[in-house]
Amino acid sequence: MSELDEIREKVDIVELISRYVALKPSGKGYKGRCPFHPDDTPSFYVSPEKKLWHCFGCGAGGDAIGFLMRIERLSFREALERLAAELGVELRRSGEREKLLEINAAAERFFRDALNSPEGKSARDYLLSRGLGPEVWDRYGLGYAPPSGKALLSALSRWGISDLEKLGLIVKGERGYRDRFVDRVIFPIRDELGRTVAFAGRSLSGAEPKYLNSPNTPLFEKGTLLY
Ligand SMILES: [Zn+2]
């Protein structure tokens, strides 16, 4: 059994979620108010049998790891490590792939913070003009790549140039490395486990191309994922 399967099997999803959401028995499972959207209904259901949760209001759902990632804003690896420690499951050392996912998670947080910063105003205005409000930004992890061209590079430099380049987050130009995404609204591209494997950026300044994607990387091959 993989360590992931072991965690999924051992975790008490009702206990985990009830640390954050007041749950009441309902049918075969439990229900409560969704922590991810304003919810008076309540429309958030947890199935101990399937070990899954789902919100019929906002459509969010997933397993215990996905819940923890979302509510605590953790990367997949961080959530996995936290649950593993609680459940006494021993994890193998984080491999290359996990490290790259970790960096993408850090990049996503960087873009999100930038969207909510004064610099992100044009991006917020753009999203609002498309009818996409803060709830949607949060749900899909939308962000903003600042216009300086070096912002992400300097924020994530501790991860090392070569991995940032491998992920297509930075590119080498005539004057050294710079951010791939500059003055763009950022849409994370996620895999089936909710992990961010790539990014798409929509130009705000009229710069071409209008939509710029991550290149093929060890985590992402174009055409193999839908988002
Ligand atoms: Zn919801």
Side-chain angles (χ1 to χ4, degrees):
M1 192 191 305
S2 78
E3 52 198 15
L4 189 58
D5 290 339
E6 196 181 343
I7 287 171
R8 288 201 175 117
E9 193 175 287
K10 281 190 174 173
V11 75
D12 180 346
I13 193 168
V14 174
E15 189 279 323
L16 175 76
I17 292 178
S18 60
R19 295 178 206 169
Y20 305 89
V21 179
L23 293 174
K24 286 185 186 157
S26 169
K28 285 184 176 177
Y30 294 82
K31 70 178 176 182
R33 290 182 182 186
C34 178
F36 305 118
H37 84 276
D39 182 19
D40 310 322
T41 320
S43 38
F44 183 89
Y45 287 84
V46 182
S47 164
E49 196 181 338
K50 294 179 185 161
K51 293 177 175 286
L52 293 172
W53 57 278
H54 180 73
C55 173
F56 291 93
C58 68
D63 63 7
I65 296 170
F67 180 83
L68 199 57
M69 285 171 70
R70 198 134 169 203
I71 198 113
E72 294 281 0
R73 292 182 59 155
L74 300 175
S75 69
F76 177 78
R77 186 74 195 180
E78 288 163 345
L80 190 70
E81 281 175 354
R82 197 179 288 192
L83 285 178
E86 281 189 17
L87 300 168
V89 174
E90 205 170 313
L91 294 180
R92 285 181 296 276
R93 267 192 308 131
S94 153
E96 163 82 2
R97 188 181 162 79
E98 296 300 335
K99 183 175 66 175
L100 295 177
L101 286 165
E102 193 81 349
I103 297 173
N104 269 353
E108 182 178 325
R109 284 197 293 270
F110 168 82
F111 290 135
R112 274 198 219 192
D113 290 344
L115 180 64
N116 290 301
S117 76
E119 255 184 342
K121 185 174 188 313
S122 58
R124 295 195 299 275
D125 289 347
Y126 167 78
L127 290 168
L128 292 170
S129 77
R130 294 301 177 103
L132 305 174
E135 205 181 296
V136 176
W137 312 348
D138 231 36
R139 191 185 314 160
Y140 296 103
L142 305 191
Y144 173 62
S148 79
K150 295 273 188 191
L152 178 125
L153 178 59
S154 58
L156 268 61
S157 61
R158 74 181 178 93
W159 292 100
I161 295 285
S162 83
D163 283 337
L164 295 178
E165 189 177 23
K166 208 180 278 178
L167 288 167
L169 290 167
I170 59 171
V171 290
K172 197 169 190 177
E174 282 167 22
R175 276 167 288 163
Y177 285 100
R178 62 170 181 81
D179 296 349
R180 168 181 297 272
F181 299 104
V182 176
D183 196 20
R184 287 174 183 270
V185 175
I186 298 293
F187 302 86
I189 300 173
R190 298 197 166 125
D191 68 8
E192 71 283 357
L193 294 174
R195 302 177 300 184
T196 299
V197 292
F199 297 94
R202 204 269 187 202
S203 163
L204 286 176
S205 61
E208 295 290 332
K210 196 170 185 184
Y211 286 94
L212 179 67
N213 277 5
S214 296
N216 286 340
T217 74
L219 299 180
F220 174 68
E221 273 189 61
K222 286 182 186 171
T224 62
L225 263 177
L226 293 174
Y227 67 98

